[in-house]
Amino acid sequence: MQVRGNEFFQGTLAQRNEFDTVRIFDTTLRDGEQTPRTSFSYDDKRAIAAALDDANVDVIEAGFPANSEQEAEAVADIAASTDATTCGLARVVESDVEAAIDAGVGMIHVFASTSDVQIEDSMHSTREDVVARSVAAVEQAAASGAEVMFSPMDATRTDPQFLAEIVEAVDEVGVDWINIPDTCGVGTPKRFGELVEYVGQHTDARIDVHTHDDFGLATANALTGVEYGADQMQVSVNGIGERAGNAAFEEVVMAAESLYGADTGVDTTAITDLSKLVSERSSVPVPVNKPVVGAHAFAHESGIHAAGVIENSETFEPGVMTPEMVGAEREVVLGKHTGTHAVRDHLEDAGFAPTDEEVREVTKKVKAHAGDDEVVTDAVLRAFAGEVGIDRETEEVTA
């Protein structure tokens, strides 16, 4: 068991580590781009891929080469310019697989619908045809020398016996990875974990998981999948993707690193900048309360919380995850719920040396100002200091 460098963790975090390592497969440029009203240009894809490569992810799913010439060119250029394994998506269609091979990717991700509703009303096919086409596509991809991943799409809504049948069929022709996609986000952690375990009984391939966030369970499902035997998690930066999105890169990586004590290989200090880049290029804003990368993730206003954090950040932050670990900064915000500790801290940072009574007076003004739905800026704070009569700014020390 990993020894935690923190005296406070004698509760749930003192338990065993369920897994020691896990691989990160990033699909920001593929499933992430399927976010409604989002489209990455060639330059966007190259910039994001370079940032992901610098962050040391294991796999970058760069796109769907058969989609267009521009897409194929971007995927090929990413494959040629990054150290991470580049993955290209392909349907169980010969020309799709050929396009992925031509793009020079190191991994080809072949997928086919396996739930009856999708087989009948999306593929307009039969179970027998899906199995035959899947086997043929995996054989074609494997013959190229690339790693091959097969996804039984909509696995969580697929008849378990048929799921086992198709997994065994592609296993026999040399598939390297079986991805288990919770395509419509209906999985729950325990059930999804048991599905991973079940699939593992029918293949010698390594298992990868792809979870959607329709019920807010994507991160929990992905991590539970690893607890039950998966080696790799598919994620997207800021959780962007179809409908409610995917398991979020930042949440999955930091939970694996900080809560499980596992090694993802990711440079976590790059996470905040990566989030900003993807938000800018995708035109999808990051909610302020977004875990890990939201503007409020390491911000404190409540008097009790702010006072504790000023004394010791581990009082009201996870402790095992700090802002420095993700390339962010802590912020103590002045507002309606502010206490004297935070006001003193801000005044001293602004160069004042207030008395206890002066701090109390400024705190009253801060609360009243914020209570009127006004923002307490540095200029407002200085004005309050002047009204109270704090005119003793500390002199700057010069060398």
Side-chain angles (χ1 to χ4, degrees):
M1 185 178 74
Q2 177 176 315
V3 177
R4 306 284 177 181
N6 188 308
E7 62 180 302
F8 300 105
F9 294 101
Q10 298 167 3
T12 57
L13 290 180
Q15 306 305 312
R16 69 189 185 284
N17 291 337
E18 289 82 356
F19 54 90
D20 296 319
T21 61
V22 63
R23 288 167 52 93
I24 301 299
F25 177 119
D26 185 90
T27 186
T28 303
L29 297 177
R30 200 277 298 171
D31 196 322
E33 190 180 23
Q34 291 173 211
T35 301
R37 302 179 184 85
T38 290
S39 177
F40 293 129
S41 68
Y42 172 87
D43 289 340
D44 291 337
K45 286 211 167 196
R46 290 297 303 273
I48 293 170
L52 288 167
D53 197 37
D54 288 344
N56 205 36
V57 302
D58 292 288
V59 182
I60 299 171
E61 189 167 41
F64 187 9
N67 187 54
S68 67
E69 290 184 9
Q70 183 185 39
E71 180 86 342
E73 181 183 1
V75 172
D77 288 350
I78 290 168
S81 63
T82 55
D83 292 325
T85 297
T86 300
C87 180
L89 187 71
R91 296 168 298 179
V92 287
V93 175
E94 186 176 349
S95 59
D96 276 27
V97 177
E98 194 61 38
I101 293 171
D102 290 345
V105 296
M107 179 184 288
I108 299 174
H109 180 186
V110 176
F111 74 97
S113 295
T114 54
S115 66
D116 288 331
V117 65
Q118 288 194 2
I119 290 173
E120 295 169 10
D121 296 331
S122 178
M123 291 187 72
H124 304 291
S125 186
T126 64
R127 286 185 176 186
E128 293 74 20
D129 183 56
V130 168
V131 172
R133 291 170 62 185
S134 297
V135 168
V138 168
E139 286 181 317
Q140 179 188 359
S144 73
E147 279 189 273
V148 183
M149 173 180 286
F150 175 73
S151 286
M153 187 160 68
D154 208 13
T156 45
R157 299 194 303 174
T158 295
D159 169 45
Q161 289 185 329
F162 179 59
L163 183 61
E165 177 188 339
I166 196 167
V167 165
E168 289 175 355
V170 295
D171 188 72
E172 288 178 5
V173 293
V175 76
D176 298 293
W177 289 91
I178 295 292
N179 168 244
I180 304 176
D182 183 19
T183 305
C184 294
V186 298
T188 60
K190 189 171 188 295
R191 296 173 199 170
F192 189 70
E194 290 172 348
L195 181 62
V196 170
E197 196 169 55
Y198 174 76
V199 169
Q201 295 167 0
H202 296 275
T203 182
D204 292 324
R206 302 176 77 181
I207 294 178
D208 170 270
V209 292
H210 178 105
T211 55
H212 277 269
D213 209 31
D214 295 74
F215 290 90
L217 294 172
T219 294
N221 286 336
L223 292 162
T224 304
V226 180
E227 289 184 22
Y228 278 75
D231 295 300
Q232 183 168 269
M233 297 181 282
Q234 295 197 9
V235 299
S236 67
V237 178
N238 299 334
I240 64 172
E242 289 277 3
R243 304 181 315 280
N246 294 274
F249 176 103
E250 58 280 359
E251 296 174 21
V252 164
V253 168
M254 291 313 298
E257 292 269 351
S258 296
L259 300 181
Y260 288 85
D263 181 14
T264 64
V266 170
D267 175 7
T268 64
T269 63
I271 284 177
T272 296
D273 284 344
L274 187 54
S275 170
K276 291 176 181 176
L277 173 66
V278 171
S279 178
E280 175 188 329
R281 298 299 181 111
S282 66
S283 299
V284 179
V286 176
V288 294
N289 64 334
K290 180 78 171 64
V292 185
V293 293
H296 294 174
F298 298 99
H300 307 271
E301 179 184 320
S302 168
I304 294 172
H305 284 239
V309 167
I310 290 169
E311 181 73 22
N312 179 349
S313 64
E314 293 171 344
T315 54
F316 288 101
E317 285 182 6
V320 288
M321 178 177 69
T322 66
E324 293 79 14
M325 288 170 66
V326 299
E329 294 181 357
R330 180 176 296 106
E331 183 182 13
V332 176
V333 179
L334 296 183
K336 179 181 178 180
H337 307 99
T338 292
T340 56
H341 287 80
V343 170
R344 179 183 293 280
D345 202 49
H346 275 265
L347 286 169
E348 290 177 349
D349 283 347
F352 293 96
T355 65
D356 290 347
E357 179 56 32
E358 289 168 339
V359 169
R360 285 192 289 270
E361 287 301 312
V362 172
T363 301
K364 290 179 184 178
K365 290 179 176 291
V366 165
K367 286 177 175 287
H369 187 77
D372 290 333
D373 204 24
E374 298 289 341
V375 177
V376 183
T377 63
D378 288 342
V380 168
L381 183 67
R382 285 181 176 275
F384 289 160
E387 292 172 13
V388 170
I390 312 176
D391 56 2
R392 299 177 301 283
E393 291 196 34
T394 54
E395 296 180 3
E396 292 186 5
V397 177
T398 57

